[in-house]
Amino acid sequence: MQLNHSPALLFRLSLAAALVYGQYIIESSSFGHGDRISPNRFGIPHWHISGDGQTPPQLLSDKIVLTPPYPGNRRGAVWAETSLSQSEWTADLEFRATGADRGGGNLQIWYTKEGRPRAETPSIYTTAAFDGLALVVDMYGGEGGSIRGFMNDGTADYKSHHAVDSLAFGHCGFSYRNLGRPSRIQIKQHAESFEVSVDGKQCFSSDKIKLPAGYYFGISAASADTPDSFEVYKFVTSTAPGVTRELPRRDPPSQPPPPASNLGSSNNDQGSRHTSSDAQFAVQFTDLQNRLEKLSHSLDNVFREVQELASKSESRHQDLSHKAMSNDQLSAMDKRIQSIESTLQGYSGQFSNIQSSLQDSHSTLNEGLTQHMTHIISTKTPRMSSFIIVVIIFQMLLAGSYVLYKRRRANGPKKYL
């Protein structure tokens, strides 16, 4: 059975694998991985939404529309309000771009030290100096689209740079427009490498890039006069495999050691320590329970889709089995063809006799018809003497008629004026 590995299915499998291998989702830098992208359609928890013009980004239950299908020249962005405290992480973006055949626009994924800039909806061509990473998805090159990576340490002003495209450190082809399904971009920052993948395939990687912790994620989009509509469904940031959850550290208040005679105060301190340990254990247990529930929910969705694909494959197989001919039917058809061939071979001699008879009849008709027509022409044609006699008689009749006419005219009464 062959399964169709759609980006949505791969996205859910990656979430399930993240939970299985000890990864956890960083809630403050993620959205869209739950049932709803927004609890009230007015905002995304831990994220700031901004836009320009009269059409700000539209927030729906399952996606956020950064640039609308109409009108053009619109910008939209969403920025994390909390920095990322982990140095090793994986970020997954699921988006869709639709538009006219010659539509245009770009989508940026930011990981910067400053976070939300003054111009909250920047693009790689209009942003000022920034410190961090920018991934750009656009129609650069005119061959179906591409994704490019840009790095800056805060010294290069991209807005005034004369050749921003030449600053890219990595790129690959990426056909993302009008696919009828969401596309997926995955960014991995590990201790030894940095990697960017699109729809489950590696785009580019480097072992010389190490992005520091404490930076902010952001997603921005801009459309042209003939606009592309960019819709973001999910952005999920998770820890790298083997990285444990960082619990908030609380330093105990500094207190002088209790006197030896005050045993009751010492017992109370021990009880408070036990209570603090129990509270931390309860927090860890609740976190583990939440992770297990998410894992169970993700696996249920995966199994449900696998079962649907299996049932579809089985129904297709049954349809093909019903439409296909059985061995008995094929053998019977083969026998019929052989009998037809033998019958035709039996008639081949008769066909030859008929052909020879037709040839003889044709030759006989050609010879007899020629002779018969010659005899008719020679016997039925009038002779020359008969023709001459007829001509003479006709001339005599004309001469007699003329003489008779003259006599009548001469004997007739004459009229005088």
Side-chain angles (χ1 to χ4, degrees), residues 280-310:
Q280 291 182 359
F281 177 76
V283 171
Q284 293 177 357
F285 182 77
T286 303
D287 175 64
L288 178 60
Q289 185 179 5
N290 293 332
R291 289 166 57 186
L292 290 176
E293 289 179 356
K294 292 179 180 179
L295 173 61
S296 177
H297 181 68
S298 300
L299 291 178
D300 289 339
N301 293 333
V302 171
F303 290 152
R304 190 181 302 109
E305 292 192 4
V306 170
Q307 289 177 356
E308 291 178 357
L309 292 174

Side-chain angles (χ1 to χ4, degrees), residues 263-279:
L263 297 178
S265 176
S266 176
N267 292 332
N268 292 333
D269 292 340
Q270 291 179 359
S272 63
R273 292 174 184 175
H274 286 298
T275 303
S276 178
S277 299
D278 293 340

Side-chain angles (χ1 to χ4, degrees), residues 14 18 21 23 84 86-92 111 133 184 186-197 202 204-213 217 237-243:
S14 64
Y21 288 102
Q23 297 175 261
L84 186 66
Q86 286 75 12
S87 59
E88 298 180 30
W89 43 265
T90 299
D92 288 280
Y111 183 69
L133 167 73
R184 180 191 175 201
Q186 186 179 67
I187 311 169
K188 293 181 181 180
Q189 176 63 76
H190 292 168
E192 298 82 10
S193 64
F194 172 82
E195 179 183 342
V196 176
S197 302
Q202 185 180 25
F204 56 86
S205 62
S206 175
D207 56 356
K208 299 180 181 179
I209 297 177
K210 178 64 176 178
L211 298 173
F217 278 112
T237 308
S238 58
T239 59
V243 178

Side-chain angles (χ1 to χ4, degrees), residues 318-337:
Q318 291 179 358
D319 292 339
L320 291 176
S321 299
H322 290 309
K323 294 179 180 179
M325 299 175 62
S326 62
N327 294 329
D328 296 337
Q329 293 176 345
L330 291 175
S331 60
M333 184 176 291
D334 188 27
K335 290 180 181 179
R336 291 180 182 176
I337 293 173

Side-chain angles (χ1 to χ4, degrees), residues 167-182:
L167 302 179
F169 69 89
H171 67 90
C172 71
F174 181 28
S175 298
Y176 63 93
R177 298 182 69 250
N178 299 327
L179 299 179
R181 58 165 176 81

Side-chain angles (χ1 to χ4, degrees), residues 21-85:
Y21 288 102
Q23 297 175 261
Y24 76 93
I25 297 175
I26 304 173
E27 297 290 343
S28 60
S29 298
S30 305
F31 64 84
H33 54 284
D35 296 334
R36 287 178 168 271
I37 194 172
S38 172
N40 51 18
R41 293 191 180 183
F42 292 104
I44 303 176
H46 312 292
W47 291 79
H48 177 80
I49 302 174
S50 59
D52 64 347
Q54 301 297 325
T55 55
Q58 185 179 8
L59 184 60
L60 304 177
S61 60
D62 61 339
K63 62 184 177 181
I64 176 174
V65 182
L66 295 180
T67 55
Y70 180 84
N73 292 323
R74 291 294 180 264
R75 300 174 184 270
V78 54
W79 286 89
E81 297 177 345
T82 305
S83 62
L84 186 66
S85 60

